[in-house]
Amino acid sequence: MIEAGSLIRSLSGRPAARNFHTFVINEIGLGIVTGRFPIGSILANDAEMMETYGVSRTVLREALKTLEAKGMVEARPKVGTRVTPSSRWSFFDPQVLSWHFYAKPDQRFFESLFDVRGALEARAIALASARRTAEHVRLMKYWLHQMDIAQGNLEAHGLSALEIHRVIADSSGNALLRSVTGIVELTLALALKSLDASTGAAYCRDSLAAHGDLVSAVEAGTASTAALAGSAVIELDNNRAKLLL
């Protein structure tokens, strides 16, 4: 399982594995998403992978079972472990999403990401405008303040923005809408990845303003205004991510 925010924290490099099991999952999963292990190919046998990754058969088998549960591989008797078509992958799995951060930018995939983020967040924002509590508003304002004092620190800015979206999803009262968090984090990380010293300040300024409008509208309970503010936030990230293509 990947922790929320870990992808944004890893902008300067690959995420660190917490144990051998996670390490093997990351290595194989990332290899599949980036094409090092092509779709339809057969992975190396257990002995080879145990030597490659320096793990026991038990650790390797558990890692492959996890990847099979994510729809990325399937084990067949006398054939081996085959990489499955991407149509079978669990794209709402935060770990599967995170591996796409390191893959070659793909226009269709980017469009799909932002389409789904837009649809799910629109509903979350509408519900949050009606169901938010004083505590939800307090948390959103806290993270908005953290965005304000980040002062160009892209990681701090991104993590604070992500927390605002997590609070909105939580305040929607719909547990299933919380699954949008992984997509929000990936799209945020892609937007941040496109920035440099000359463009970061302008993005942070615009993002802060857009999130401020969003938080204010959700607090006021004006769903239509909140929807517009949410669309502005997503469009800002979308325009930045497109620069990676």
Side-chain angles (χ1 to χ4, degrees):
M1 182 67 179
I2 185 171
E3 296 178 359
S6 61
L7 181 57
I8 292 175
R9 293 188 186 94
S10 73
L11 284 169
S12 59
R14 292 269 296 279
R18 291 172 292 174
N19 51 50
F20 285 123
H21 179 252
T22 304
F23 167 72
V24 176
I25 293 172
N26 276 332
E27 288 297 303
I28 300 176
L30 185 63
I32 291 171
V33 171
T34 58
R36 183 158 52 92
F37 303 130
I39 289 173
S41 65
I42 303 295
L43 298 180
N45 61 42
D46 285 4
E48 290 182 57
M49 286 196 285
M50 287 163 57
E51 182 176 356
T52 297
Y53 302 121
V55 296
S56 67
R57 187 181 300 276
T58 299
V59 170
L60 176 63
R61 288 291 177 86
E62 287 301 314
L64 291 175
K65 285 181 181 179
T66 299
L67 289 167
E68 190 165 16
K70 296 177 187 293
M72 302 185 76
V73 300
E74 62 178 358
R76 293 182 176 179
K78 300 182 180 180
V79 175
T81 302
R82 185 187 302 275
V83 178
T84 58
S86 59
S87 59
R88 293 173 57 181
W89 300 355
S90 300
F91 280 102
F92 277 91
D93 184 308
Q95 200 167 27
V96 176
L97 283 170
S98 72
W99 292 325
H100 283 81
F101 179 76
Y102 304 98
K104 181 180 178 181
D106 178 86
Q107 181 174 349
R108 181 60 61 84
F109 182 70
F110 278 21
E111 290 174 352
S112 298
L113 277 176
F114 282 97
D115 280 347
V116 172
R117 178 182 171 183
L120 293 180
E121 281 214 296
R123 183 58 179 160
I125 289 168
L127 291 173
S129 297
R131 298 175 176 175
R132 77 280 178 269
T133 65
E135 178 62 11
H136 289 134
V137 172
R138 186 192 71 78
L139 286 171
M140 285 188 282
K141 288 185 174 181
Y142 170 80
W143 288 112
L144 188 65
H145 178 63
Q146 294 303 305
M147 289 180 71
D148 191 19
I149 65 176
Q151 297 184 347
N153 182 321
L154 296 180
E155 181 179 302
H157 179 96
L159 289 171
S160 299
L162 177 62
E163 289 300 328
I164 290 175
H165 292 278
R166 292 182 71 194
V167 175
I168 288 174
D170 185 61
S171 63
S172 73
N174 185 325
L176 295 180
L177 286 176
R178 294 170 188 155
S179 63
V180 75
T181 300
I183 293 176
V184 173
E185 181 169 2
L186 177 55
T187 52
L188 262 172
L190 290 171
L192 295 172
K193 186 179 183 180
S194 74
L195 299 170
D196 55 31
S198 64
T199 57
Y203 169 84
C204 289
R205 181 190 64 240
D206 294 343
S207 177
L208 175 62
H211 280 86
D213 291 342
L214 175 58
V215 171
S216 295
V218 171
E219 179 184 16
T222 52
S224 58
T225 303
L228 291 173
S231 294
V233 169
I234 295 172
E235 187 64 20
L236 179 64
D237 289 341
N238 192 3
N239 288 337
R240 291 305 317 178
K242 286 177 180 176
L243 297 178
L244 299 174
L245 295 171

